């Protein structure tokens, strides 16, 4: 009898494995009730940044998508501007790479000419002026962060050239999910470790 019970339990375990079509039944039921058919929601880029007590933490996913296909799983979306300034990019990969590279070289020349460390607001002015000149045809949405003589700074730069200065921000198609995590977990004067942990959760939510 005990052997029979064990066999039956094993069969039950096998039957429970595999695909679960419970959600399909739910969707069919909702559709019959007059609700629109639910569509899958796929997120592309998620970039984020948060200011903590002594600096700025920037985060980004590494997926480069072509429509519904992940074309590159190891795309670098955090770009070097200067030793104290970095920038996350969402949008067209070629645009974000070339715009940030161009601003980086301009800041390097400015640093040699003045003999001073690059300021974040200088990078911001160069970026937004360039993007505004092209009226959104350069598809680069950016999160700019850095630390200079005035302290930590975090800015968002939209493709048309408009900007915001915020204590935390997200951009990209996964930004709504990511922003919910920041709004729930952000607090003033966070430590570096707390800011990094929050940004990790933030990017995971966006993905």
């Amino acid at each position: 009898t005990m052997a029979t019970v064990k066999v039956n339990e094993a069969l039950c375990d096998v039957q429970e494995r595999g695909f679960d079509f419970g959600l399909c039944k739910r969707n069919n039921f909702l559709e019959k009730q007059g609700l629109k058919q639910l569509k899958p929601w796929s997120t592309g880029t998620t970039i984020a940044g948060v200011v903590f007590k002594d600096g700025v933490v920037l985060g980004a996913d590494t997926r480069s998508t072509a429509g519904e296909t992940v074309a590159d799983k190891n795309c670098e979306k955090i770009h070097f501007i200067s030793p104290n300034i970095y920038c996350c990019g969402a949008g067209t990969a070629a645009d974000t790479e070339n715009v940030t590279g161009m601003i980086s070289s301009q800041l390097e020349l400015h640093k040699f000419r003045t003999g001073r460390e690059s300021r974040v607001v200088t990078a911001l002015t160069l970026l937004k002026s360039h993007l505004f000149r092209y009226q959104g045809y350069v598809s680069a949405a950016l999160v700019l962060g850095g630390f200079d003589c005035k302290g930590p700074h975090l800015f968002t730069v939209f493709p048309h050239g408009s900007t915001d200065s915020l204590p935390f921000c997200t951009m990209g198609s996964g930004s709504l999910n990511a922003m919910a995590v920041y709004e729930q977990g952000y607090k003033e004067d966070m430590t570096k470790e707390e800011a990094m942990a929050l940004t990790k959760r933030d990017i995971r939510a966006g993905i």
Side-chain angles (χ1 to χ4, degrees):
T1 305
M2 292 300 293
T4 304
V5 170
K6 289 181 180 179
V7 170
N8 289 337
E9 287 178 353
L11 289 173
C12 290
D13 288 341
V14 172
Q15 290 172 357
E16 289 176 357
R17 294 172 186 163
F19 293 104
D20 181 5
F21 295 97
L23 293 179
C24 296
K25 295 177 181 178
R26 182 205 64 179
N27 292 345
N28 290 333
F29 172 77
L30 292 175
E31 191 174 353
K32 290 177 182 178
Q33 299 299 316
L35 295 176
K36 292 183 179 179
Q37 185 176 3
L38 300 176
K39 295 181 179 179
W41 185 22
S42 176
T43 61
T45 294
T46 303
I47 57 176
V50 62
V51 177
F52 65 95
K53 183 169 60 175
D54 299 317
V56 178
V57 172
L58 299 176
D61 69 320
T62 60
R63 298 182 306 171
S64 176
T65 55
E68 296 296 321
T69 305
V70 177
D72 184 2
K73 293 188 290 184
N74 296 300
C75 178
E76 292 187 6
K77 298 182 183 179
I78 302 180
H79 307 282
F80 173 87
I81 300 292
S82 72
N84 61 311
I85 306 170
Y86 280 79
C87 184
C88 298
T92 303
D95 287 343
T96 58
E97 288 180 12
N98 284 281
V99 166
T100 53
M102 179 186 65
I103 300 305
S104 177
S105 64
Q106 290 181 11
L107 275 183
E108 187 73 9
L109 293 173
H110 183 269
K111 181 180 178 180
F112 288 145
R113 188 163 56 247
T114 61
R116 299 176 181 174
E117 182 185 63
S118 301
R119 290 186 58 187
V120 183
V121 70
T122 306
L124 174 70
T125 303
L126 292 171
L127 281 169
K128 70 180 184 181
S129 298
H130 178 78
L131 293 175
F132 178 74
R133 189 180 304 125
Y134 288 91
Q135 293 290 299
Y137 285 101
V138 176
S139 179
L142 307 170
V143 171
L144 179 70
F147 190 95
D148 57 24
C149 59
K150 298 292 184 179
H153 302 275
L154 183 66
F155 299 97
T156 55
V157 187
F158 292 88
H160 287 82
S162 59
T163 62
D164 284 320
S165 176
L166 301 164
F168 57 89
C169 61
T170 62
M171 296 189 83
S173 54
S175 61
L176 293 179
N177 294 344
M179 181 57 76
V181 174
Y182 267 156
E183 288 180 341
Q184 182 185 28
Y186 176 78
K187 60 183 180 181
E188 293 184 358
D189 295 329
M190 286 192 297
T191 64
K192 178 182 176 181
E193 290 72 23
E194 289 174 334
M196 290 176 66
L198 181 60
T199 301
K200 286 180 184 178
R201 286 171 43 216
D202 186 78
I203 298 300
R204 288 195 192 101
I207 293 173

